[in-house]
Amino acid sequence: MQRAPFEINGVKVEAGKRATVDLAVAQLYTHTPLNIPVQIVHGRQDGPVLLVCAAIHGDELNGVEIIRRLLKLKVMSQLKGTLVAVPIVNVFGFIQRSRYLPDRRDLNRCFPGVKKGSLGARIANLFCESVVRKCTHVIDLHTGAVHRSNLPQVWGAMNSSGSNEMARAFGTPVVLDATLPDGSLRSFAESINIPVITYEAGEALRFNELSIYAGIRGIINVMRMLGMLRSHKSKKKSNRSPVIANQSQWVRAETDGVFRPLVELGASVKKHQPLATISAPFGEAELTVRAPASGIVIARTNIPLVNEGEALFHVALYEKVSEIARHVEVFQSELFDDELIFADDMEEESY
């Protein structure tokens, strides 16, 4: 018996087929229609319905490229279940290269939204009702903010068994047991018992190859864990497993000045270790920025001019820093291992 079609927004996608469905968001004052593109890969066999979405913040571009490459993989022809891919959720922000909506609202604080609310509330409501509620699992792709880079990391609610399993399967060395911000997609999905994780990597308005490749690999890992794709038999097996961080801390500038970092993204640091200096423009005074606790630097500002109170570093707190430091090193070296990059199931389809 053939599997039933998958339907979104009145469009039915037959088993074994692909389709792109446009969700009408608005008609601009230029009389131009604006749509959220939703790409469906509906497998021939039953299985989970996985939503992978990006650019809820319109300037976070790595996820857009991750989804583009993901959809071109040959292995998608073997899919069990359904992949729902939404590369650009915040189409307004994407067009303007902005994190926000035109009214400066953060779309990721508007979920689940309402039909007659603000622009953000209406988009969130449309996305939740037309897309999210039809899925069984969610992976939400993000980057750092403008001028700030994130080490590849996964955020999830570790007290949720489904989200916990997805976070561990994704394969980043750092997993944050993160709270659920009110109005976020992650908070809404968990509220209706849909396992969900957030992948954070790279910087806004920039492509970062390590972050993109790690994202593709991570999604494939989750799909294998869910039984949507066959397991990959590699000659090289990694014994690495993520180390959960239950806490993280932002390190902020205590003065204005010129910022000179002393540690790289992904560095392991000990409590009170110097992380950076902040100097007056002509060097009359200099302040040393120190680590508040031992851990791994998972985010860092990239701009050398800072104001008092500005976020400089984000440190995931760990007691056994050496263990997670080894995981980060192995993770980065494995990503660009020739055997893994050119494995058959990671090759792209040719058109």
Side-chain angles (χ1 to χ4, degrees):
M1 182 176 177
Q2 188 176 21
R3 190 183 182 203
F6 186 80
E7 183 175 347
I8 278 188
N9 200 33
V11 177
K12 293 183 179 181
V13 184
E14 299 294 333
K17 301 293 184 180
R18 295 184 179 212
T20 298
V21 180
D22 288 327
L23 294 182
V25 175
Q27 182 167 287
L28 303 180
Y29 38 70
T30 59
H31 204 67
T32 304
L34 197 62
N35 301 314
I36 297 175
V38 181
Q39 299 186 53
I40 311 296
V41 183
H42 192 42
R44 296 182 184 279
Q45 300 181 52
D46 289 336
V49 180
L50 174 64
L51 167 63
V52 181
C53 62
I56 283 182
H57 295 134
D59 59 355
E60 297 183 359
L61 307 183
N62 275 334
V64 180
E65 179 65 4
I66 288 170
I67 291 175
R68 185 193 72 81
R69 296 191 198 181
L70 180 72
L71 291 168
K72 289 173 67 66
L73 297 180
K74 287 182 178 180
V75 73
M76 289 300 139
S77 63
Q78 305 165 7
L79 179 71
K80 294 181 180 179
T82 305
L83 174 64
V84 180
V86 186
I88 307 164
V89 180
N90 182 359
V91 287
F92 284 96
F94 186 79
I95 290 170
Q96 298 296 325
R97 305 177 188 176
S98 170
R99 177 183 180 89
Y100 302 107
L101 293 162
D103 60 2
R104 298 297 296 170
R105 279 186 169 86
D106 184 338
L107 180 56
N108 208 30
R109 295 297 180 269
C110 295
F111 290 93
V114 291
K115 284 185 177 181
K116 298 297 184 181
S118 66
L119 176 61
R122 294 176 188 224
I123 295 174
N125 178 260
L126 173 68
F127 191 63
C128 288
E129 298 305 316
S130 299
V131 179
V132 180
R133 288 187 183 276
K134 295 181 179 294
C135 301
T136 62
H137 300 77
V138 176
I139 300 177
D140 186 19
L141 306 176
H142 287 260
T143 76
V146 173
H147 304 309
R148 186 186 301 150
S149 293
N150 282 352
L151 184 76
Q153 60 199 262
V154 167
W155 295 20
M158 294 298 101
N159 60 351
S160 165
S161 60
S163 299
N164 189 317
E165 290 175 354
M166 290 174 68
R168 291 178 181 277
F170 198 96
T172 58
V174 175
V175 172
L176 285 177
D177 185 3
T179 56
L180 299 168
D182 290 341
S184 66
L185 173 61
R186 195 157 61 89
S187 176
F188 170 69
E190 287 284 3
S191 73
I192 57 173
N193 298 316
I194 296 178
V196 55
I197 58 174
T198 297
Y199 173 63
E200 292 267 1
E203 179 185 1
L205 295 174
R206 300 286 185 272
F207 280 169
N208 177 269
E209 194 62 27
L210 184 146
S211 299
I212 292 168
Y213 191 72
I216 299 167
R217 283 279 301 272
I219 295 168
I220 292 294
N221 287 342
V222 171
M223 294 177 78
R224 288 174 179 155
M225 183 274 292
L226 293 175
M228 299 177 72
L229 298 174
R230 62 178 172 80
S231 298
H232 174 54
K233 296 179 180 179
S234 174
K235 295 179 182 178
K236 294 190 176 183
K237 297 287 185 180
S238 173
N239 294 321
R240 172 179 45 81
S241 59
V243 181
I244 309 299
N246 296 315
Q247 286 184 295
S248 65
Q249 188 167 340
W250 286 99
V251 181
R252 298 185 178 275
E254 294 299 325
T255 187
D256 311 290
V258 179
F259 169 72
R260 296 181 178 85
L262 302 175
V263 296
E264 298 292 332
L265 193 65
S268 59
V269 297
K270 295 182 179 179
K271 187 174 182 178
H272 302 314
Q273 177 181 331
L275 300 180
T277 60
I278 301 176
S279 306
F282 301 105
E284 301 96 334
E286 185 170 280
L287 173 72
T288 299
V289 179
R290 298 184 181 275
S294 297
I296 296 291
V297 177
I298 59 173
R300 196 192 81 174
T301 185
N302 294 326
I303 195 166
L305 306 176
V306 298
N307 295 306
E308 182 178 345
E310 195 166 332
L312 306 177
F313 298 95
H314 192 193
V315 180
L317 307 185
Y318 291 98
E319 292 183 3
K320 298 180 179 179
V321 177
S322 59
E323 179 183 356
I324 183 62
R326 285 195 299 271
H327 285 358
V328 171
E329 183 180 352
V330 171
F331 170 76
Q332 293 176 336
S333 64
E334 277 187 354
L335 276 178
F336 293 100
D337 183 286
D338 286 348
E339 180 183 344
L340 293 175
I341 289 178
F342 296 109
D344 289 342
D345 63 351
M346 292 297 290
E347 290 178 359
E348 295 185 358
E349 291 183 337
S350 57
Y351 289 92

